[in-house]
Amino acid sequence: MAEMVCRECHRILKGQTCPICGTGNLSSDWSGMVIIIDPQKSEIAKKMGIESKDRYALKVR
Amino acid sequence: MSENGDSVIYVVKTTANQEKSVAIMLTQIARKDRLDIRSILAPDELKGYVLIEAPNVSTVEQAIQTVPHARSLVKGESSLDEIMHFLTPKPTVTGITEGAIIEITSGPFKGEKARVKRVDEGHEEITVELFDAVVPIPITIRGDTVRVLKKEEQA
């Protein structure tokens, strides 16, 4: 099954709803990936305003 | 180290089209071996490379040892400012203006030339009219499936 991305938080997930936002507003058309492993120390996470470790898409259509 | 705290961006060369799988594998290894890798970036624009945010080069060297498709570490380091543009990708319709002549690069109209009638930045779509069509029918296509031939033509 293709991985989906939540249009609101950009998380890459499997399934039909985003476990964090609780929304079903997902997209299979996404590109680019950023994996945040340590949100406290990561400068990229700070710039993107990400506070939890996860996989995120850079662009969602 | 860098001016952005102690995070530095290192670039790892990978096999083409394996960027995402390398990023996922590196994440698993970083968690398992408790390596201080803070984030991994695999932008679509950068084919054959992944960017790793870590405090020092030895952490990255250790992490890529056992990862298949991770080929080598690029010498030197990048700053966060240099990779900022990857974090906020531009819409694909940037640079396409109304009146421009484009060529469709994929789909059923591949190879057809057309004039842009409307640009929808929000949906990243453009509406075009094909040159070779007998009756001018507007067609809406994705902005990333076209190539601009001529910027804007005064009618």
Side-chain angles (χ1 to χ4, degrees), chain A residues 29-39 41-45 47-48 53-55 58-61, chain B residues 4 7 20 23-24 27 36-42 44 53 80 83 86 89-90 92 123-124 142:
Chain A
D29 192 357
W30 56 276
S31 67
M33 182 168 74
V34 59
I35 305 175
I36 304 296
I37 301 167
D38 190 339
K41 290 187 200 162
S42 170
E43 292 293 331
I44 290 177
K47 291 270 182 194
M48 295 183 81
K53 55 170 108 174
D54 215 327
R55 289 194 294 139
L58 290 174
K59 190 172 178 178
V60 187
R61 273 174 62 104
Chain B
N4 302 308
S7 273
K20 288 192 177 76
I24 292 166
T27 312
D36 190 6
I37 289 179
R38 292 154 187 190
S39 66
I40 302 168
L41 196 63
D44 262 22
E53 182 186 0
L80 199 66
I83 59 135
F86 290 124
K90 275 189 198 158
T92 48
H123 291 99
E124 294 183 29
R142 284 176 58 149

Side-chain angles (χ1 to χ4, degrees), chain A residues 4-7 13 15-18 23-28 60:
Chain A
M4 304 290 276
V5 168
C6 172
R7 281 207 177 92
L13 40 97
Q16 294 302 310
T17 50
C18 175
T23 175
N25 187 11
L26 311 181
S27 169
S28 59
V60 187

Side-chain angles (χ1 to χ4, degrees), chain B residues 18-137:
Chain B
Q18 295 294 329
E19 302 85 3
K20 288 192 177 76
S21 70
V22 168
I24 292 166
M25 289 279 281
L26 281 169
T27 312
Q28 289 166 350
I29 285 165
R31 284 205 186 121
K32 196 175 74 165
D33 297 349
R34 295 183 182 278
L35 297 173
D36 190 6
I37 289 179
R38 292 154 187 190
S39 66
I40 302 168
L41 196 63
D44 262 22
E45 300 96 310
L46 204 60
K47 218 179 173 106
Y49 295 94
V50 290
L51 307 168
I52 300 177
E53 182 186 0
N56 54 61
V57 71
S58 59
T59 312
V60 182
E61 276 172 349
Q62 197 185 334
I64 64 167
Q65 290 291 313
T66 53
V67 178
H69 302 297
R71 282 160 59 189
S72 61
L73 181 68
V74 177
K75 272 186 191 168
E77 50 192 50
S78 280
S79 68
L80 199 66
D81 295 336
E82 284 176 301
I83 59 135
M84 272 309 285
H85 65 282
F86 290 124
L87 304 180
T88 47
K90 275 189 198 158
T92 48
V93 294
T94 307
I96 304 174
T97 50
E98 284 176 23
I101 312 289
I102 55 102
E103 185 186 323
I104 302 171
T105 55
S106 76
F109 299 112
K110 185 178 175 180
E112 296 276 354
K113 291 185 179 65
R115 177 173 281 121
V116 179
K117 287 285 164 192
R118 207 166 41 241
V119 179
D120 184 347
E121 283 223 11
H123 291 99
E124 294 183 29
E125 285 174 343
I126 57 168
T127 304
V128 299
E129 272 178 12
L130 298 179
F131 279 138
D132 292 343
V134 182
V135 186
I137 306 166

